[in-house]
Amino acid sequence: MLLRRVLPHVRSMWLGCLLSMLTTAAANAQMNGYERPPIDYLHTEVHDPVAKLAAQIQAGETQLAHDAEFGYLESVLQELDVPVNSQTLVFSKTSLQISRISPRQPRALYFNDDVYIGYCQNGKTLELVATDPQQGAIFYTLDQADETTTPKLTRDRGQCLSCHVSSRTQNVPGFLVRSVFADAAGRPKLGSGTFTTDQTSDFRDRWGGWYVTGQHGSMRHMGNTICEGDEYTFDREPGANKVDLRDRFRTEAYLTPHSDIVALMVLEHQTQMHNAITAANYETRQALHQSYQMNELLDRPKNFLSDSAQRRISAAADRVLEHMLMCDEFQLTDKVSGTTTFAADFQARGKRDAAGRSLRDFDLNTRLFQYPCSYLIHSDAFGGLPDEVRSIILARLLDVLQNRDESEQYAHLSKEMRANILAILRETLPEFQHIVFAKQ
């Protein structure tokens, strides 16, 4: 009799505790959930460009050429279709091979829409990060020293995440461009503060610990300069409008003597846009997973989506849309131009509408892009978002572009801009055209 009285209370307490645990897990999903289902970041098979290249090498379908000076770098760039003119140079000791990095020996970074490659002079490894459509940033290394055996791309199993999962990466395994006050050895003076930069960052806070080649008029940044004092005495003037870095280090030791300012600006936008997409992917999958778990416990229909799950997915969609539409973008006050063909080549890869417009077209006078909607809307990462969140993003994007949503955060988009972006997407993104028809 006593047992029959107690059991309902025990069951109620157990269910209450479980509900509390799941609620807490939902609140902290981005912080600590990526190692568990449904994400299972460290063990899930991935299909990013580097993983595909690794499989081709293993199967003997592709061979990498080894160079005495650069190791496998040039061959890897070619195989992954990463342009040499995307090279940017960072001299702060803020990555894996810190002993190989200094102002006299910067680390080179190369990237395309999906892949990032890090190269250090005399380094033991090439560092590669690729964007998987489901799992986000996946980290790899390639041994540079051994050319006697078949080269092997080794997937990282957690070491890189000590720096690449934090609020700086939107709490998912991701990317960041970091600006620091670097001393003469390249060590960041952390007491002076650091900046994680993207298109919203004040120009004066960008590229500390980086080399920058290009013109930017009266605007000033932190690049090309050693911090001899602190953030209050730091002088940005000596590093301004540099087009030649030969007085800083041996530029001939790199594939190109440039660290193009336009490439840096694209890199800043792209890294955090990728993070926003991954965060929405994770959040949606976790919200669905936890909602379906509760359905089983509460005898609800299998595919019922709880209100809390819907709110989480909706919030994730809003964050992607704000990044995508360049909300709060820093307004340039002078013209920016690079020192390589990066800008022209980047634009040439754009999907264009009948009027010749592309989301990759630059402005570089008052903002980064002429049509402020991220070109990554065409990426595999965006296409890989769960339908539940991608459809919300596209529907809300349509509302903004058709002037049904005139919220303050989108006030930077003039009616002409909205009309141009709408026209581009209708012709270059078939899924978006379907949503336009559905709305009509």
Side-chain angles (χ1 to χ4, degrees), residues 3 8 13 58 60 65-66 109 126 151 164 217 222 239 264 291 326 338 391 399 406 425 436:
L3 187 60
M13 290 174 61
Q58 190 66 26
H66 190 277
L109 288 173
L126 279 182
H164 285 273
M222 294 171 59
L264 278 163
S291 185
M326 308 285 193
S391 61
D399 284 343
E406 297 187 4
L425 290 176
V436 173

Side-chain angles (χ1 to χ4, degrees), residues 79-361:
E79 292 294 335
L80 293 172
D81 194 25
V82 177
V84 172
N85 63 18
S86 70
Q87 175 181 286
T88 60
L89 299 168
V90 54
F91 62 82
S92 64
K93 295 179 181 295
T94 50
S95 62
L96 181 64
Q97 301 182 75
I98 59 174
S99 64
R100 308 283 182 179
I101 304 168
S102 71
R104 302 296 296 178
Q105 192 169 280
R107 176 177 179 245
L109 288 173
Y110 306 87
F111 67 98
N112 61 18
D113 292 5
D114 305 297
V115 177
Y116 305 82
I117 298 171
Y119 163 79
C120 291
Q121 279 190 60
N122 305 312
K124 294 181 179 180
T125 62
L126 279 182
E127 304 158 41
L128 302 94
V129 196
T131 304
D132 179 79
Q134 291 300 312
Q135 300 298 87
I138 308 296
F139 299 82
Y140 300 87
T141 55
L142 175 62
D143 190 343
Q144 282 275 69
D146 188 2
E147 59 177 306
T148 61
T149 59
T150 301
K152 183 178 180 181
L153 287 155
T154 303
R155 181 178 170 184
D156 177 75
R157 294 297 177 179
Q159 180 182 358
C160 294
L161 302 186
S162 59
C163 293
H164 285 273
V165 178
S166 71
S167 59
R168 295 179 184 274
T169 65
Q170 301 183 43
N171 297 314
V172 294
F175 316 96
L176 70 158
V177 175
R178 194 174 179 186
S179 179
V180 303
F181 294 90
D183 68 14
R187 294 183 295 262
K189 296 187 174 184
L190 298 178
S192 294
T194 68
F195 307 96
T196 302
T197 58
D198 62 10
Q199 72 273 359
T200 68
S201 301
D202 193 305
F203 205 80
R204 64 178 279 107
D205 294 334
R206 303 187 191 191
W207 310 315
W210 296 74
Y211 286 119
V212 184
T213 57
Q215 299 286 344
H216 45 85
S218 61
M219 296 185 295
R220 294 294 177 264
H221 56 70
M222 294 171 59
N224 302 324
T225 306
I226 301 300
C227 181
E228 297 178 348
D230 56 24
E231 69 272 28
Y232 301 107
T233 60
F234 186 78
D235 185 4
R236 291 166 171 77
E237 194 62 35
N241 296 302
K242 294 285 292 184
V243 296
D244 191 336
L245 298 172
R246 284 178 293 180
D247 61 336
R248 302 303 209 267
F249 61 93
R250 288 179 55 251
T251 57
E252 63 271 20
Y254 295 85
L255 297 180
T256 165
H258 306 277
S259 184
D260 192 290
I261 190 171
V262 180
L264 278 163
M265 293 174 72
V266 170
L267 181 66
E268 289 174 317
H269 162 71
Q270 181 173 296
T271 48
Q272 290 300 332
M273 187 69 237
H274 267 311
N275 292 344
I277 293 171
T278 301
N281 190 316
Y282 281 22
E283 181 75 346
T284 301
R285 289 159 61 191
Q286 289 165 334
L288 294 172
H289 179 72
Q290 289 157 10
S291 185
Y292 296 159
Q293 280 184 317
M294 292 308 302
N295 292 345
E296 187 175 346
L297 288 169
L298 299 176
D299 296 324
R300 294 190 303 216
K302 182 178 179 180
N303 293 325
F304 176 81
L305 192 58
S306 67
D307 289 343
S308 64
Q310 292 183 56
R311 286 194 297 271
R312 290 171 61 186
I313 294 170
S314 179
D318 284 340
R319 288 191 291 271
V320 171
L321 191 58
E322 289 182 10
H323 278 275
M324 181 175 290
L325 291 177
M326 308 285 193
C327 294
D328 299 320
E329 181 178 9
F330 176 81
Q331 185 171 0
L332 303 177
T333 57
D334 219 326
K335 183 178 180 179
V336 171
S337 61
T339 54
T340 72
T341 60
F342 174 84
D345 295 347
F346 180 89
Q347 291 179 132
R349 294 196 299 274
K351 295 184 177 182
R352 299 193 173 274
D353 67 5
R357 296 168 296 199
S358 167
L359 297 182
R360 299 174 83 101
D361 289 345

Side-chain angles (χ1 to χ4, degrees), residues 20-37:
S20 177
M21 289 169 62
L22 287 173
T23 301
T24 301
N28 297 313
Q30 298 286 49
M31 290 298 293
N32 56 18
Y34 63 87
E35 293 184 358
R36 302 191 299 270

